[in-house]
Amino acid sequence: MLYNFTTIPQSSLVNPGTDVSYKFYFGFPVLSGVSLNAGSSSFSAYDLFADNGVDFNDKVRDVINKSSRNDKVVTNQQLEIFTGGFRVGGRESRSYVSFGLYQEFDFFMYMPKDLALLALDGNKDYIGKMFHLNDLNVKAEVLSVFHVGFHKKMNDKLVLGGRAKIYSSGANAVSVHNSGYIYTSQEPGTPNLYNQVISSNLELKTSGIAPFTKDEYDGNIATDIAHNTFFNGSLGLGLDAGVTYYLKKNLQVTASIIDLGFVKQSKDIETLTYKGTYQYQGANPDFMNPDDPENVFDEFKKAIPRDTLYDKYTTWRPTKIYTSVEYSFGNYRSNEDCNCKQQVKERYRNAAGLQFFAMSAPREPLVALTAFYKRNIFEKLDVKATYTVDTFSSTNIGLGLSGTIGMVNIYALANNILEYKDISKASSAAFQIGINFVFQDSEE
């Protein structure tokens, strides 16, 4: 929704080469950009929490049975702490600097179907089935991002822009390079004898979390994570780049790459590993009874030990790619166009086009294709409507409004609005709101 919505200053966050102009602007602290985006490709909140008399465990089992290992749960939240931008040079300059600080939370998980089935039902009804441990694939991080950007309109056709970022990660957890399996079979003709093999190569890397798991910790987790995120986190660097090019006055193409960067996780590091192979032959082992006469539990712990490592590691940010083509039509002149002191710029009341989005993910990228229509309703009120086909829905209709009263710009964006009549049944939902103060030259 935000991409190429140029009446909103934050549009430069998703394309630093977007064609925007202003004397200067600054965002209302903490309220200039508030956004949340959540989606699941296999279930909705209603599937789990509907008051329909179905037992919760049965609901969970239905969700798992209907899902596949490639289904995803994704959440992204952003809170802009401060932001601003200004023209560099005189009135005729086409160069702009922007800056800001925002907090971000990312969560990404593939549905661990095999592990969920094993946890719910055990292996009694799955003799001969191999449960794959590489189904466990999850990433989560909370961080702050300080950024400085520059964009310049090179000529009437080309706009280029870039942005440098410093990441400060307050907490990170990642478990993506897992492999192994759990397999149980029966000896032919001996229904009470089993052959069970557990081959494990599991790894969970964490940064900024270890102190909270210690028995002696007596602080406030939320406060300490916030402190680490803004003042004492693991550091990283990133870049954004973008371009706008006008094939004709009313036909433009754009492209950008966002969050091409990394974080060197170095604060309060712990890596937990479970690596090894365990094989059992005989009556079904009882792992919950450490006093088993055959010492099954002790043998298992020796075969697949839990180790803790303290090596630093690097995580890559989820990189996003945007591109669009936009056709504008419906010329109009406003009262401001009658000012003879300035050159009149040809403007259009309508625009329509296509956008493409892709984001890196552990197995395959997330992609979306959007058709959009923008309309200038009044002098300072613009609306954008979208239809999106993505991983989570093929009927995602979005709506965005951007209005300016005096120097105050207020905007609100939301997608999947047809599901708002019962948001619990939506496979995805996203919104963003904000307030900015935008200043133009007096003649503009």
Side-chain angles (χ1 to χ4, degrees):
M1 288 296 302
L2 185 62
Y3 189 77
N4 220 32
F5 205 161
T6 55
T7 58
I8 303 173
Q10 280 74 13
S11 63
S12 64
L13 290 176
V14 286
N15 182 6
T18 194
D19 189 6
V20 296
S21 63
Y22 41 75
K23 187 177 181 180
F24 66 92
Y25 82 93
F26 61 91
F28 195 99
V30 186
L31 294 179
S32 59
V34 180
S35 70
L36 177 66
N37 180 7
S40 168
S41 60
S42 61
F43 66 93
S44 67
Y46 182 86
D47 294 329
L48 291 175
F49 302 108
D51 186 12
N52 55 10
V54 179
D55 183 75
F56 181 76
N57 289 333
D58 291 334
K59 294 176 183 176
V60 173
R61 187 171 286 102
D62 288 342
V63 166
I64 293 171
N65 287 331
K66 291 188 299 184
S67 68
S68 76
R69 66 184 300 271
N70 289 318
D71 283 321
K72 309 164 187 70
V73 178
V74 180
T75 301
N76 175 268
Q77 168 269 326
Q78 286 190 10
L79 178 65
E80 206 165 46
I81 309 303
F82 65 83
T83 187
F86 54 90
R87 180 190 296 139
V88 180
R91 171 179 166 76
E92 300 302 321
S93 173
R94 294 182 170 186
S95 300
Y96 300 88
V97 170
S98 61
F99 58 90
L101 173 71
Y102 62 88
Q103 170 268 325
E104 183 171 6
F105 169 75
D106 284 308
F107 176 83
F108 186 100
M109 180 184 72
Y110 284 103
M111 175 63 75
K113 182 166 184 175
D114 276 7
L115 294 176
L117 284 174
L118 187 61
L120 278 175
D121 299 329
N123 61 353
K124 178 181 177 182
D125 297 325
Y126 297 98
I127 303 302
K129 172 180 171 55
M130 186 172 291
F131 293 90
H132 297 279
L133 300 185
N134 61 357
D135 277 8
L136 181 61
N137 198 309
V138 62
K139 300 167 59 178
E141 185 165 34
V142 58
L143 75 165
S144 64
V145 184
F146 176 74
H147 59 90
V148 177
F150 176 80
H151 94 268
K152 181 178 179 63
K153 193 164 186 177
M154 310 301 292
N155 50 52
D156 289 339
K157 288 189 173 184
L158 179 64
V159 183
L160 297 176
R163 178 178 293 106
K165 293 180 172 180
I166 299 176
Y167 305 115
S168 176
S169 175
N172 173 269
V174 57
S175 183
V176 296
H177 299 298
N178 298 307
S179 61
Y181 60 89
I182 298 174
Y183 177 77
T184 305
S185 62
Q186 281 184 321
E187 295 293 333
T190 54
N192 294 321
L193 297 179
Y194 297 89
N195 179 33
Q196 182 161 286
V197 180
I198 302 175
S199 176
S200 174
N201 185 21
L202 296 178
E203 181 180 80
L204 171 63
K205 296 180 177 180
T206 66
S207 174
I209 297 176
F212 311 135
T213 65
K214 303 297 188 280
D215 292 337
E216 60 270 20
Y217 175 75
D218 62 354
N220 183 286
I221 294 178
T223 300
D224 288 345
I225 288 180
H227 178 268
N228 292 342
T229 299
F230 290 103
F231 304 106
N232 194 38
S234 300
L235 298 179
L237 297 174
L239 292 172
D240 301 344
V243 58
T244 297
Y245 184 76
Y246 288 89
L247 299 171
K248 298 180 180 179
K249 288 183 179 181
N250 63 336
L251 182 62
Q252 65 167 237
V253 292
T254 72
S256 67
I257 183 168
I258 305 299
D259 278 328
L260 183 61
F262 67 94
V263 176
K264 183 68 174 180
Q265 305 292 346
S266 59
K267 300 294 180 68
D268 298 316
I269 304 299
E270 274 194 357
T271 298
L272 303 180
T273 65
Y274 293 87
K275 297 184 178 182
T277 300
Y278 171 81
Q279 185 167 5
Y280 175 88
Q281 290 180 316
N284 195 30
D286 183 2
F287 289 98
M288 303 306 294
N289 182 9
D291 297 324
D292 187 285
E294 296 187 24
N295 299 314
V296 173
F297 192 71
D298 290 338
E299 292 177 5
F300 173 79
K301 289 193 296 182
K302 290 178 182 178
I304 306 179
R306 167 179 166 168
D307 289 328
T308 303
L309 308 176
Y310 302 95
D311 298 330
K312 298 178 181 180
Y313 63 96
T314 299
T315 55
W316 291 91
R317 297 292 297 143
T319 302
K320 301 100 177 170
I321 294 175
Y322 298 84
T323 185
S324 74
V325 57
E326 177 176 309
Y327 173 74
S328 302
F329 56 98
N331 300 59
Y332 84 103
R333 289 175 62 90
S334 69
N335 293 333
E336 294 177 354
D337 292 337
C338 298
N339 191 327
C340 298
K341 295 182 179 180
Q342 64 172 334
Q343 182 180 0
V344 175
K345 178 182 177 181
E346 192 169 12
R347 295 192 287 177
Y348 303 91
R349 188 174 294 277
N350 308 280
L354 292 173
Q355 297 173 188
F356 174 77
F357 166 81
M359 185 181 81
S360 61
R363 293 179 189 160
E364 58 185 16
L366 272 67
V367 298
L369 182 64
T370 298
F372 68 89
Y373 171 72
K374 292 192 290 187
R375 170 81 175 180
N376 176 252
I377 299 177
F378 302 115
E379 185 68 33
K380 298 293 185 178
L381 179 63
D382 296 273
V383 61
K384 180 178 181 180
T386 62
Y387 174 80
T388 299
V389 177
D390 60 17
T391 303
F392 308 105
S393 173
S394 59
T395 58
N396 186 339
I397 294 177
L399 186 65
L401 292 170
S402 172
T404 302
I405 303 174
M407 63 181 181
V408 180
N409 168 256
I410 302 174
Y411 68 94
L413 314 170
N415 78 353
N416 223 0
I417 58 175
L418 296 181
E419 300 292 345
Y420 277 42
K421 58 187 177 183
D422 188 351
I423 193 65
S424 68
K425 295 182 179 180
S427 58
S428 66
F431 75 88
Q432 183 166 352
I433 57 175
I435 304 173
N436 299 294
F437 300 93
V438 180
F439 299 83
Q440 301 285 6
D441 292 299
S442 57
E443 295 85 0
E444 296 179 359

